[in-house]
Amino acid sequence: MADEVLFERRGRVALITLNRPDYANAQNSAMTYALDAAFARAVNDDEVAVLVLAGAGKHFCAGHDIGTPERDADKSFDREAVLWWDHVGKAGADARYAREMEVYLGMCRRWREIPKPSIAMVHGACIAGGLMLAWVCDLIVASQDAFFADPVVKMGIPGVEYFAHPWVLGPRLAKEVLFTGGRFGAERAYQAGMVSRVVPRADLETTAFDLAGQIAQMPRFGLALAKRAVNQCEDLMGLRPGMDSVFGLHHVAHAHNAEVSGHSLAGLDARGMRDQR
């Protein structure tokens, strides 16, 4: 397993840690596939009952890597989530659609279906692609300093690829978050039902592991079936086809940006996203 993700087993709980702290755990492809390997390791270990996902350093995850020195968008990886051709060397929308269907939408859907309960342990920033990682987990425990945002409408894009906003936030808050691109704190996320617990930063790890320990005492197969039952109900409420339709809109936006500005992200990088008002 690569250094981009760390794996530690504590009793019946697997702690999986995003490990690019110098870049606020921005997700490049190497991290994505290392995270997939860590999840697979936890699923295949019969001694692991619950997964906890955390971020090293000051933040949980600042989103997709759109500009670090280790950005690897043009590098080939063995595809795990979607049976589609390699994006490398393809032109235009062909390349972007293939890559994002695999490393963003496809991987998140794959991780949502893990048969063991998962808890996101969120502190600091959880932005855009970071939301996707938290949302695929079954529960979210957040510290009081945690904040959340999906600012990609600043690029003219209608939200991140794993478009769960209306289901995890409700339609009104989802629209406010997208329309403004602004941050919302852990307490508001709790009020919306997105976050399970909000605790002082000093209590974050203890709270998450206490909750994981409680869950770990339940029958493994019963937990897997209960998780699948809720996920199936979400899908019947339109989650999966909704994501499919919005993924198309997402790529219309990329194509529009490329045609109008010559840049699929409307010329914005991480700093530009942060500084734009």
Side-chain angles (χ1 to χ4, degrees):
M1 189 179 305
D3 291 339
E4 289 86 356
V5 174
L6 305 178
F7 186 98
E8 176 188 353
R9 206 182 84 191
R10 299 184 185 178
R12 302 201 66 206
V13 179
L15 174 62
I16 297 169
T17 305
L18 308 175
N19 190 41
R20 298 187 75 210
D22 290 346
Y23 305 114
N25 297 318
Q27 303 161 245
N28 59 4
S29 293
M31 172 182 278
T32 297
Y33 287 98
L35 181 57
D36 187 68
F39 282 146
R41 178 177 174 181
V43 170
N44 291 328
D45 187 341
D46 284 342
E47 298 302 313
V48 171
V50 182
L51 290 64
V52 172
L53 179 63
K58 296 180 180 179
H59 301 289
F60 176 73
C61 179
H64 299 330
D65 185 343
I66 60 173
T68 82
E70 298 167 11
R71 187 169 190 254
D72 51 14
D74 295 324
K75 183 178 178 181
S76 295
F77 290 83
D78 291 335
R79 295 170 300 288
E80 299 289 345
V82 178
L83 190 60
W84 198 268
W85 50 69
D86 188 4
H87 70 285
V88 175
K90 305 304 186 294
D94 189 351
R96 183 172 294 276
Y97 187 84
R99 179 173 185 268
E100 293 194 353
M101 186 167 54
E102 164 73 10
V103 300
Y104 297 151
L105 180 60
M107 278 294 189
C108 283
R109 283 177 162 173
R110 173 176 164 88
W111 299 334
R112 175 178 177 255
E113 298 301 322
I114 288 171
K116 297 180 180 181
S118 56
I119 301 171
M121 188 170 71
V122 178
H123 70 287
C126 182
I127 306 296
L131 287 174
M132 294 165 50
L133 298 185
W135 285 348
V136 300
C137 294
D138 302 300
L139 303 174
I140 301 174
V141 177
S143 62
Q144 291 170 339
D145 70 342
F147 60 92
F148 308 87
D150 184 0
V152 301
V153 176
K154 294 177 180 180
M155 297 175 172
I157 298 171
V160 292
E161 297 82 358
Y162 184 82
F163 193 84
H165 309 58
W167 290 270
V168 298
L169 296 173
R172 301 294 181 196
L173 181 54
K175 288 178 180 178
E176 180 182 337
V177 166
L178 291 166
F179 291 176
T180 66
R183 298 176 177 182
F184 59 104
E187 187 58 38
R188 190 165 191 199
Y190 175 77
Q191 293 169 356
M194 180 186 123
V195 164
S196 311
R197 311 263 176 97
V198 179
V199 297
R201 175 66 181 275
D203 299 333
L204 179 62
E205 185 169 320
T206 298
T207 301
F209 274 82
D210 284 350
L211 181 58
Q214 182 180 352
I215 294 169
Q217 297 176 34
M218 299 291 281
R220 181 180 66 171
F221 191 50
L223 287 170
L225 294 180
K227 175 170 180 171
R228 190 164 181 81
V230 175
N231 284 359
Q232 287 176 343
C233 288
E234 278 191 307
D235 288 339
L236 289 169
M237 294 163 65
L239 176 65
R240 188 176 184 89
M243 283 187 184
D244 284 335
S245 66
V246 177
F247 191 66
L249 298 177
H250 182 98
H251 282 273
V252 166
H254 277 311
H256 175 76
N257 285 343
E259 185 171 343
V260 172
S261 70
H263 190 281
S264 62
L265 302 181
L268 293 177
D269 57 12
R271 184 180 298 275
M273 288 287 287
R274 184 193 65 194
D275 295 342
Q276 189 186 56
R277 295 291 183 266

